Amino acid sequence: MSLQWPVARLMRKAGPKTALPLGFALQSLGFASLATLAVFPPPGGRPMLPALLLITGLALGNMCVMPTAMGLVMEFAAGRPAGAYFGLLASAGGLAVVLATPPWHPSMNSPTRQQSLRSLPGSSCPF
């Protein structure tokens, strides 16, 4: 049995007021760890740490958010065709990304990140 089902069951019990903020916080921590470790690289011998933290944060956050969000979409649709409601959910997620990106923009153009991108094997990154 995968970890997803017990987490989904636990989040349904906790309710949307707990599950959604917790899930989005875990996803945010995954992205924040990636951005932070791009500026402050992990100690030697741990090159996979940024990817591992990103994937863990996204996976755990998704396990918290998705069952709750999908249930809420169907509840909001109330028997009407749910396509527009799923589109609204996706648009709200995109808007959240657009609004959350500017504070991290300076770290994306840091000299440390540029150097780490250039050092990737086979990389001909122009930026």
Side-chain angles (χ1 to χ4, degrees), residues 18-79:
T18 302
L20 293 176
L22 176 64
F24 287 131
L26 287 169
Q27 290 177 342
S28 298
L29 285 174
F31 282 113
S33 68
L34 186 66
T36 302
L37 291 173
V39 177
F40 305 105
R46 293 189 169 85
M48 295 298 291
L49 184 63
L52 191 69
L53 291 173
L54 171 68
I55 291 168
T56 302
L58 288 178
L60 290 174
N62 202 22
M63 283 186 237
C64 294
V65 169
M66 289 311 290
T68 306
M70 292 301 155
L72 287 173
V73 165
M74 295 310 292
E75 190 177 310
F76 288 142

Side-chain angles (χ1 to χ4, degrees), residues 30-40 50 54 97 100-118 125-127:
F31 282 113
S33 68
L34 186 66
T36 302
L37 291 173
V39 177
F40 305 105
L54 171 68
V97 169
T101 301
W104 290 103
H105 187 13
S107 69
M108 298 306 287
N109 291 322
S110 72
T112 306
R113 179 175 184 274
Q114 303 304 322
Q115 184 59 34
S116 66
L117 286 175
R118 286 189 195 100
C125 185
F127 31 57

Side-chain angles (χ1 to χ4, degrees), residues 84-106:
Y85 293 92
F86 284 114
L88 178 62
L89 177 64
S91 297
L95 182 63
V97 169
V98 167
L99 295 176
T101 301
W104 290 103
H105 187 13

